[in-house]
Amino acid sequence: MANAPARWDLDIDWVSIGSGLGGVCSAIVAHDLGAKCVILDKSPRLGGLSGFGGGEVFVPNNYKMRELGIEDSDESGREYLDFLSAGFRDQDLFDKLLATCNEAIEYFGREAGIEWIAIEGLPDYYHPKVKSARASGRYMTVDLFDGSTLGEWQGKTYAMTPHVPPGALHKEMYAWGGLAKVTTWDYELVGQRVAEDKRAMGPGLMAYFVKAAVVDRNILAYVDTPVRELITDDGGAVIGVRAEKDGQDFFVKADKGVVIAVGGYDHNREMACQYESMPDWNSAAPPYFDGDNIVMGTEVGAAIAAVPPNNLAMFYGYNIPGEETDGSPLYRASWECGVPHAIWVNKKGERFCDEASYKDYQPRLRQWDGQTQTMPNLPPTLIFDQNYRDRYPLGSFMPGQEIPEELCVKADSLRELAEKLDIDPEGLEKSVKRFNENARKGEDPDFDRGSFSWSQRLVGDFDYPNPNLGPLDKAPYYGVKLVPVSVGINSHGLKTDVHAHVVHVRGQAISGLYAVGNSAALRDLGAGYQSGTSNMRAITWGYIAARHAMGKD
Amino acid sequence: MAVAEYSTSTKLPIETIWNFVKEMDNWADLVTGYQSHEKQSDEDSTWVLKGDLGPMSRMLKLQVHITEWNGPTRVTFELKGINELMDGHGTFEMSSYEEESEPGVHVAPAERKNFILRLLEAIARFFVRLLSGGAPERAASADAGPGAGMAKLTFKLELKPGGPMAPMIDSLIKPVILPAAEQLAGNIMARLEELHGTER
Ligand SMILES: Cc1cc2nc3c(=O)[nH]c(=O)nc-3n(C[C@H](O)[C@H](O)[C@H](O)COP(=O)(O)OP(=O)(O)OC[C@H]3O[C@@H](n4cnc5c(N)ncnc54)[C@H](O)[C@@H]3O)c2cc1C
């Protein structure tokens, strides 16, 4: 396929399609190696999902943890990620990622002014059950970012996201009691930071990178400019893109390369249900993730690759009626299930997982019953009691605030609640009785809830002997039906090689075409997930792709 | 507490404005983010508005109670969040133009004016100028000649979020409350003038 236009609107060296970490990091590196770059984004803002998320970047044995004197080693990091991959990784990609992630992080710290911090006190997901997991320091994030330094881009980037608290650093959050204790945080300080546009977490992280690219380096960037098609020459090499700008075709010639960094297919429901083998699909992401990686890639012959979807980052949650982001319903992941006085049950009223560890609930929700041809744990229902309501929020609903009935069903007894929610009443009563007896002792012999340090740190209430357990014994009772909520990390993506080159269905690399971040299949990490690996691989492969395109590797 | 005050002027007589403003149904849909409203009595009504809160939009259900109904110069009201922890109050004030200062945007002193608020003020000022056909001072002297019968509508709104997150919500709503006040006052004038064929 050769579809070059008669005239190019822009002739440049490097095109980043997408302005999340993958796109921006590759543009920064390409620029630093002498290339003229452009970043094109479909949405009205720069920063992508990277700027809308938690902003954790998982880098074992990183230089900031070493500065803090936290012990780690490359071997131990490798062992941990090997455990996560569960045998589904591509060895070459895995090796390359691990060999480069620290170099990339340090490069951006040194050359792009990213104020990295190693997060103290946030344990790896599988700590303490897996020996190579660490209790602290492997997650990196950034210090507060001053939004006013973005100039004209200040209003065209995410100052905050509904998914994480605005303007608060991890260490502050932990000092204030963590997510379970949001009622007791220092909101005077948070309010001041919001007013001053001091950004943290995802919005902060991405603001540093965007500033390094479009302010400090003056890299060209266009928002509201979706790329619709890749342009190839007669030999099938990618030589540019056709974007849409102000309603017109906008042809950009890329002499050194094009990177697809558009994330995945979270808002392409049909594609998502098919690839993820799910009957339903919703997303926490803003509505710009339409599977353009798959569409544009396969159009030029790219192979699609996949890892098992069982245990990737994926949540269950809800939409608060009326809540939207950029005109699309906003879905929130439900963290409530890991907090004391709350459980999940299936239609039989049975618990089926460690609700405080989404790595445990994810595969159990996907369980298939061949006898009944059903997924017996779908849909899960969140059940909690008045103890919970007295202490903790549900989404944005603080204690004392009415929760709309469309979202949350309320009843004076568990039996009545079960009937209202179409759950087996005996099953629910029995499950709660058993859960309560054990929770009072701080135990969960059925699913070992509260046994991961990460669950305790993230949603636990440290006023309790087991921070993730508390009985449901105070009426009224409440129930919320949950739906799948993806965070943009998909099981299928474009197949890439050790240079981040997209691989053709015939096996060769497609000249001029790279894919990074969530657009690239997760073969580098395999079947598991750990918060921060997504951002880490976007940064690292962005770095690798640009260096390769500029002849450095 | 997020506070906004916005004034705009018209050649229409004050009674005309009052006749329009006193009937809520005339202007309800001009409120920023209007979804629906329901009148329980002449004093009480419930409203559903869609508002921006940082990176997302939310449905806000409010109970509005009129506390002073003093035509044709003043209406005051209180509001209370039904689904959000929020209280507030506001006024519509109508006066003859000559007695008052020039039309313009006034934002009550806010302890923490962020950049967005400052930017929005500037934008609002620009629109006032545009609407009044030039710089406010010139518009005032050129249009408000003796007997020109100009009237001024001022809309004030104060919102006070409640609950533990109040200071944070306060910072989030400050940037949106001024444009909301501006939009309502401006929209009311525009509709009135459309109805009565008058230009500012
Ligand atoms: C609530 C939440 C929290 C998260 N927290 C973390 C975390 O703490 N750590 C972590 O590692 N990961 C986290 N993630 C996931 C993480 O945000 C993403 O994995 C990461 O941002 C991926 O970066 P990326 O480079 O693939 O692109 P993205 O940041 O996803 O950006 C892709 C960009 O491409 C644009 N685009 C799409 N189609 C086109 C097109 N056709 N043309 C032009 N532009 C296009 C989009 O508008 C978007 O701006 C979180 C996700 C969510 C939803």
Side-chain angles (χ1 to χ4, degrees), chain A residues 16-23 40-43 45-58 161 163-164 206 225-228 261-264 283-285 288-290 292 296 486-489 516-519 529-536 538-539:
Chain A
S16 287
I17 317 177
S19 66
L21 280 170
L40 306 174
D41 203 287
K42 182 191 262 184
S43 86
R45 294 172 208 91
L46 293 182
L49 193 53
S50 311
F52 201 71
E56 291 166 0
V57 184
F58 191 80
T161 154
H163 298 297
V164 293
M206 212 47 228
T225 307
V227 173
R228 299 295 185 201
V262 298
S283 177
Y288 307 106
F289 301 86
D290 302 311
D292 295 350
M296 291 192 287
S486 171
V487 289
I489 297 159
V516 303
N518 286 336
S519 289
Y529 187 72
Q530 156 68 61
S531 174
T533 53
S534 192
N535 285 341
M536 178 270 265
I539 293 170

Side-chain angles (χ1 to χ4, degrees), chain A residues 431-445:
Chain A
S431 300
V432 171
K433 185 166 179 279
R434 179 171 169 79
F435 177 79
N436 286 355
E437 280 164 13
N438 291 309
R440 287 189 190 103
K441 292 183 266 173
E443 291 168 7
D444 176 21

